[in-house]
Each structure stands twice: as structure tokens, then as C-alpha cells.
């Protein structure tokens, strides 16, 4: 009889430990897929939850691009934290890179390509002015 009671206690204890995990949010960042080409940026979602996010960025175009994560309308102003900016530069054609960031504040954000013609560069057009911007919402 005591063996049955101990077994029942152990089973109930294990069930009690597992129960909180049933309704919990999965660990890890929200993953967002981004595709770059001339002269567009596409995302697989338009709204993401606040918290850590991992942008998986694929350059399917024929030109080098970059991605800057910023508040909507910020005009090429990446976030900065501990000396790191929310930006990935020099994304070669065919390359896939990641940008990991935490977006804690709900609101409107955007990804842009801020490349523009400068002396000594191969860039012939202002990528942002050509339409390389996409806005999304953090809730």
C-alpha cells in the first residue's frame, strides 16, 4: 500500500512540474524571414510580439545591400547597444545573414537599405529612395 501511495505522490509531483510548461511561450526569439532584391525588401510577417527577434536576411538580388533596423521614419538611424548597431552591412548577392535584436517597445519599426552613391563606391542609386524600406509593427 505504501508503494502505491509513494508512486502516486511521485506521479503527481512530476505532473505539477510539467503543468506550467503547457501554456508557456516557447523560448527563443521570434524568427522573421527577410528577402532583399533590387529595390525591395519583403518580410514574411507584418506584426511581431515584443521581445527578442532574429531577422534571417537573404539577398536574392544582384547587388550588395544592407539592412538597418530602426523606428519608422528615423531615416537611417540604427539602434545602438553596448557599441553594437542594429545594422548588417555589405550583404553580398546570394548571401544569408542574421540580425539579432530585442524590440521591447510596441510601435512601428522599419527595415531599410541605406546604401547611396558615394565617391569611390559602386553604388549608383539611393536604395532607400528607390523603395528599399518596409514597415512592421511590434505589439
Amino acid at each position: 500500500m505504501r508503494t502505491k501511495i509513494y508512486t502516486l505522490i511521485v506521479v503527481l509531483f512530476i505532473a505539477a512540474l510539467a503543468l506550467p510548461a503547457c501554456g508557456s511561450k516557447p523560448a527563443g526569439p521570434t524568427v522573421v524571414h527577410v528577402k532583399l532584391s533590387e529595390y525591395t525588401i519583403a518580410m514574411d510577417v507584418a506584426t511581431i510580439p515584443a521581445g527578442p527577434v532574429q531577422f534571417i536576411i537573404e539577398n536574392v538580388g544582384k547587388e550588395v545591400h544592407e539592412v538597418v533596423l530602426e523606428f519608422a521614419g528615423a531615416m537611417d538611424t540604427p539602434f545602438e547597444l553596448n557599441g553594437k548597431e542594429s545594422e548588417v552591412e555589405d550583404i553580398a548577392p546570394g548571401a544569408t545573414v542574421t540580425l539579432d535584436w530585442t524590440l521591447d517597445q510596441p510601435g512601428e519599426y522599419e527595415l531599410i537599405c541605406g546604401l547611396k552613391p558615394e565617391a569611390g563606391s559602386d553604388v549608383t542609386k539611393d536604395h532607400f529612395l528607390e523603395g528599399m524600406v518596409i514597415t512592421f509593427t511590434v505589439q
Side-chain angles (χ1 to χ4, degrees):
M1 179 73 165
R2 283 188 179 180
T3 305
K4 288 182 182 180
I5 291 174
Y6 289 127
T7 303
L8 179 61
I9 290 172
V10 169
V11 169
L12 290 174
F13 180 73
I14 292 171
L17 290 176
L19 192 59
C22 291
S24 66
K25 183 179 175 183
T30 299
V31 175
V32 177
H33 295 273
V34 180
K35 289 197 181 211
L36 310 175
S37 63
E38 290 77 41
Y39 291 95
T40 63
I41 299 177
M43 291 175 48
D44 64 343
V45 295
T47 303
I48 62 173
V53 61
Q54 180 179 63
F55 295 95
I56 299 175
I57 305 159
E58 181 181 6
N59 184 354
V60 297
K62 295 181 176 160
E63 296 181 20
V64 171
H65 294 291
E66 70 176 19
V67 168
V68 177
L69 169 64
E70 61 188 13
F71 286 118
M75 302 302 292
D76 201 7
T77 309
F79 302 112
E80 187 176 332
L81 180 65
N82 298 327
K84 181 182 173 191
E85 291 187 330
S86 59
E87 176 175 30
V88 181
E89 298 177 323
D90 300 324
I91 306 168
T96 299
V97 298
T98 60
L99 173 62
D100 297 300
W101 208 261
T102 299
L103 298 172
D104 287 332
Q105 298 179 6
E108 297 296 311
Y109 293 81
E110 66 188 13
L111 295 176
I112 72 162
C113 179
L115 293 179
K116 52 186 119 193
E118 295 178 4
S121 81
D122 293 337
V123 179
T124 59
K125 294 182 179 183
D126 185 314
H127 292 207
F128 176 81
L129 293 178
E130 291 292 322
M132 289 197 75
V133 58
I134 190 165
T135 304
F136 63 96
T137 302
V138 172
Q139 295 183 329

